[in-house]
């Protein structure tokens, strides 16, 4: 399975933030002209969740983000 192209960016932001980050906040990190659709960011998050299965990291949604 090939990782989603945005997975690396999303993973880096989530790890660096040190707090939950919403999809909307992730989208704001991109220039408006290069901003991917929210569905693409959600797909990248799903890809990360799947890649973390069976490992020591778990990606979970909470009230304020991921």
């Amino acid at each position: 399975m090939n990782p989603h192209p945005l997975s690396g960016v999303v993973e880096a932001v989530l790890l660096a933030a040190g707090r939950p980050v919403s999809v909307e906040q992730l989208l704001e990190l991109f220039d408006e002209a290069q901003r991917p659709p929210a569905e693409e960011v959600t797909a990248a998050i799903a890809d990360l969740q799947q890649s973390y299965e069976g490992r020591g990291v778990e990606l979970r949604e909470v009230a304020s983000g991921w």
Side-chain angles (χ1 to χ4, degrees):
M1 180 175 98
N2 290 334
H4 192 279
L6 291 177
S7 292
V9 173
V10 171
E11 182 178 40
V13 171
L14 293 176
L15 290 173
R19 61 173 176 74
V21 180
S22 69
V23 171
E24 292 77 20
Q25 290 170 324
L26 287 166
L27 289 170
E28 290 176 10
L29 297 173
F30 294 90
D31 287 334
E32 191 172 336
Q34 297 179 341
R35 189 170 295 154
E39 296 81 22
E40 289 292 314
V41 173
T42 303
I45 291 170
D47 182 64
L48 285 172
Q49 283 181 305
Q50 187 175 14
S51 72
Y52 291 160
E53 285 183 16
R55 296 171 63 195
V57 177
E58 184 177 24
L59 181 57
R60 300 186 69 185
E61 186 174 20
V62 295
S64 57
W66 291 92

